[in-house]
C-alpha cells in the first residue's frame, strides 16, 4: 500500500499480500448421450489462463477421463468450441480474466449437436452438409495456359477463407439449434459462407443459386446475425455471405432474361457483371435486358 | 513391454498418467535439454527406467469412449520410447554437432561425422549402436557439388 500514495484511492480493499487467491469454481457438464449433469470443480487460479487451461488442469488433477476436444490452443483449429456461461466460444481463446470468477463459470458442450461425452459433441452433420455442396468448377484456361483474376474478385473471397470450421455459428443458429428436424434441409451459416465463397469465385462456372434456395434452405435464415456475433474469425457471415446470396437468388427469380442467358452460356462473366451493377445501384436504372449484355445474347 | 490397450482398465495400478507425463517432461527438460553432459544423461537413463515402471502401473478411470486419461496412458509408451532414443543417442554422440551440444565434448569430432545413432528394442532393453550413414543418392550429391562453387 505504501507505494500507492500517488494514485487515486481504490474503493475495494486489496487482499493482504501473500494470501492465496480465491479458488475458481468451474461447473463442467459431464455425461454422455444417455444424459448427464453439471459437476463442480474447485481449482486455484493461475495468471493469464484461458478456459481451456483450467479445464485441462481439472482433467490432470481431478477428472482424468474428462473428455474435451482441442488441438492448437491458438484459435485456429476450431476444435475447442463450447458454451461458456451459455455463450458459444472457443475455450482456448476465452481468457479467464474476461469472466466474472466470483461466481461459478459454467462450461457445457455445444447444444446443436449430439453429445459424445462431456464437452465433446458429434459434429458430423456439418461434414454431411459439406459433402453435398457442388464443388468448385473452373472454366477453361486462357490460351497461354494461365488463369487470370481481377484483384477485386480475389479480395472478396478472402474473408471467407478465414473460416476455421469451429461450427459455433451452426450451434447458435436458431433454425437448427433446437430443431433437429430442420437439419436435412438447411446448410447453416458456415455453409452459406462456403457457398458464397464458391459463388463469388471469379473462375467458378457453376450456378448454385437454385440449389441454395431449394436444397440448402437459405430462406429459413431470417438474418438475425447471431452467427456473425459468435464467429471467432470475425467473418461477417450475415452481411457478406448470406445477404449477397439471398440477393443473387432474388435476382435470378425476378430477372428471367439474365437467368436464361447465364444458363445458356454457363459463363461466369454475367455473374460478375450483375454483381458490379448491384454495387453501383445501376441495376435499377436500366431495364433488365439492356443491363445484361451477355455474350450469348446475339446467337 | 507392449500390452493390450484395454488392459489399463483392469490395472490394479496406483499411478496417474498425468503425473507420470509431467514427471517425464520435467526429467527430459532438466537432464536432456539444450546443453548436455554425460552425468546428467546417465541419470536421465535411470529415471526413464523408473518412469517406464510407473507408466505400466497407470490406472485408468471411466470407459472406452473419448477418454483422455486412457489415451495419455497409451501415449506414454511412445513418449518413453522417444525419450530413450534421444537420451541414449545423446550419450553415445561424444561431440557437439547441430542441435546437440555436449558440455563435456565441445566441437565436431571426425569419427562421428559419418555415423547415425540407431536405438533398437532388444529383449525389452533399449540398445544404441553407431551405424554408417546411408550413402547420399546421386541426384542429391550432385546438388551439393553444384552448390560448392
Ligand atoms: S443470420 Fe441466419 S444463419 Fe445466422 S444465426 Fe440468424 S438465422 Fe441463422
Ligand atoms: S464461419 Fe466463423 S463461426 Fe462459423 S464455422 Fe467458420 S469460423 Fe466458425
Ligand atoms: S484448440 Fe484450436 S481453436 Fe481452440
Amino acid at each position: 500500500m505504501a507505494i500507492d500514495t500517488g494514485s487515486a484511492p481504490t474503493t475495494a480493499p486489496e487482499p493482504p499480500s501473500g494470501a492465496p487467491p480465491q479458488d475458481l469454481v468451474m461447473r463442467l457438464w459431464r455425461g454422455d448421450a444417455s444424459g448427464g449433469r453439471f459437476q463442480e470443480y474447485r481449482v486455484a487460479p493461475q495468471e493469464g489462463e484461458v478456459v481451456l487451461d483450467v479445464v485441462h488442469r481439472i482433467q490432470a488433477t481431478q477428472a482424468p477421463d474428462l473428455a474435451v476436444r482441442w488441438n492448437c490452443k491458438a484459435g485456429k483449429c476450431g476444435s475447442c468450441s463450447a458454451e461458456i456461461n451459455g455463450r458459444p466460444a472457443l475455450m482456448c481463446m476465452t481468457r479467464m480474466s474476461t469472466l466474472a470468477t466470483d461466481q461459478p463459470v459454467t462450461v457445457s458442450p455445444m447444444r446443436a449437436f449430439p453429445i459424445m461425452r462431456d464437452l465433446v459433441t458429434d459434429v458430423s452433420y456439418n461434414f454431411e452438409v459439406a459433402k453435398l455442396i457442388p464443388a468448385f468448377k473452373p472454366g477453361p484456361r486462357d490460351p497461354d495456359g494461365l488463369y487470370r483474376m481481377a484483384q477485386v474478385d480475389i479480395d472478396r473471397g478472402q474473408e471467407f477463407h478465414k473460416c476455421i470450421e469451429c461450427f459455433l455459428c451452426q450451434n447458435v443458429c436458431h433454425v437448427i439449434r433446437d430443431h433437429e428436424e430442420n437439419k436435412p434441409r438447411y446448410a447453416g451459416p458456415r455453409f452459406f459462407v462456403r457457398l458464397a465463397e464458391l459463388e463469388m469465385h471469379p473462375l467458378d462456372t457453376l450456378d448454385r443459386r437454385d440449389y441454395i434456395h431449394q436444397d440448402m434452405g437459405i430462406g429459413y435464415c431470417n438474418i438475425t446475425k447471431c452467427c456473425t456475433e459468435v464467429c471467432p474469425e470475425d467473418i461477417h457471415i450475415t452481411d457478406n455471405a448470406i445477404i449477397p446470396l439471398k440477393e443473387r437468388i432474388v435476382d435470378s427469380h425476378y430477372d428471367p432474361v439474365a437467368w436464361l442467358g447465364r444458363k445458356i452460356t454457363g459463363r461466369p462473366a454475367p455473374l460478375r457483371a450483375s454483381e458490379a451493377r448491384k454495387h453501383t445501384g445501376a441495376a435499377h436504372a436500366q431495364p433488365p435486358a439492356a443491363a445484361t449484355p451477355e455474350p450469348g445474347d446475339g446467337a | 513391454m507392449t500390452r493390450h490397450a484395454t488392459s489399463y482398465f483392469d490395472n490394479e495400478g496406483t499411478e496417474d498418467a498425468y503425473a507420470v507425463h509431467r514427471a517425464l517432461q520435467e526429467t527430459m527438460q532438466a537432464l536432456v535439454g539444450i546443453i548436455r553432459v554425460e552425468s546428467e544423461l546417465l541419470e536421465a537413463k535411470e529415471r526413464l527406467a523408473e518412469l517406464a515402471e510407473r507408466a505400466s502401473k497407470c490406472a485408468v478411470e471411466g470407459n472406452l469412449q473419448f477418454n483422455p486419461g486412457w489415451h495419455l496412458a497409451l501415449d506414454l509408451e511412445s513418449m518413453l520410447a522417444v525419450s530413450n532414443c534421444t537420451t541414449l543417442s545423446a550419450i553415445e554422440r561424444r561431440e557437439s554437432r547441430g542441435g546437440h551440444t555436449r558440455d563435456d565434448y565441445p566441437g565436431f569430432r571426425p569419427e562421428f561425422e559419418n555415423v547415425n545413432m540407431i536405438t533398437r528394442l532388444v529383449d525389452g532393453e533399449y540398445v544404441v549402436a553407431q551405424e554408417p550413414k546411408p550413402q547420399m543418392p546421386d541426384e542429391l550429391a550432385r546438388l551439393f557439388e553444384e552448390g560448392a562453387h
Side-chain angles (χ1 to χ4, degrees), chain A residues 163-169 190 193 230-233 235 237:
Chain A
C163 173
I164 59 171
E165 299 217 304
C166 63
F167 306 128
L168 287 168
C169 56
R190 189 280 168 262
V193 167
V230 298
C231 178
E233 285 294 319
I235 301 173
I237 305 173

Side-chain angles (χ1 to χ4, degrees), chain A residues 71-143:
Chain A
N71 280 284
C72 70
K73 294 192 179 181
K76 283 289 168 274
C77 72
S79 308
C80 65
S81 304
E83 301 189 5
I84 299 163
N85 287 342
R87 197 188 150 83
L90 297 176
M91 283 184 265
C92 72
M93 296 304 280
T94 307
R95 293 189 169 279
M96 291 303 295
S97 60
T98 63
L99 303 169
T101 47
D102 51 343
Q103 303 152 24
V105 172
T106 64
V107 185
S108 48
M110 287 193 284
R111 191 165 94 196
F113 308 114
I115 302 275
M116 288 177 74
R117 224 165 92 83
D118 305 337
L119 302 177
V120 177
T121 54
D122 176 359
V123 293
S124 40
Y125 152 67
N126 299 290
F127 303 124
E128 294 306 317
V129 176
K131 282 189 223 160
L132 297 175
I133 292 182
F136 175 62
K137 190 169 184 291
R141 291 171 186 274
D142 289 345

Side-chain angles (χ1 to χ4, degrees), chain B residues 79-140:
Chain B
M79 293 181 196
L80 281 160
V82 172
S83 302
N84 272 294
C85 293
T86 310
T87 306
L88 294 185
S89 304
I91 293 171
E92 190 70 7
R93 192 171 279 281
R94 292 177 190 83
E95 64 163 352
S96 295
R97 182 182 292 274
H100 168 72
T101 302
R102 284 282 300 256
D103 216 15
D104 40 358
Y105 295 98
F108 295 150
R109 297 196 158 206
E111 65 266 36
F112 290 111
E113 173 137 5
N114 289 309
V115 291
N116 282 336
M117 303 301 161
I118 307 291
T119 304
R120 291 195 172 78
L121 199 53
V122 181
D123 298 329
E125 293 279 331
Y126 289 102
V127 180
V128 67
Q130 298 186 19
E131 292 185 11
K133 270 202 292 201
Q135 188 87 40
M136 190 183 291
D138 281 349
E139 67 272 22
L140 261 184

Side-chain angles (χ1 to χ4, degrees), chain A residues 10-37:
Chain A
T10 48
T11 44
E14 282 181 31
S17 62
Q22 210 191 330
D23 272 358
L24 297 167
V25 181
M26 302 292 292
R27 298 180 70 234
L28 310 184
W29 198 90
R30 302 293 314 264
D32 56 26
S34 63
R37 63 191 178 83

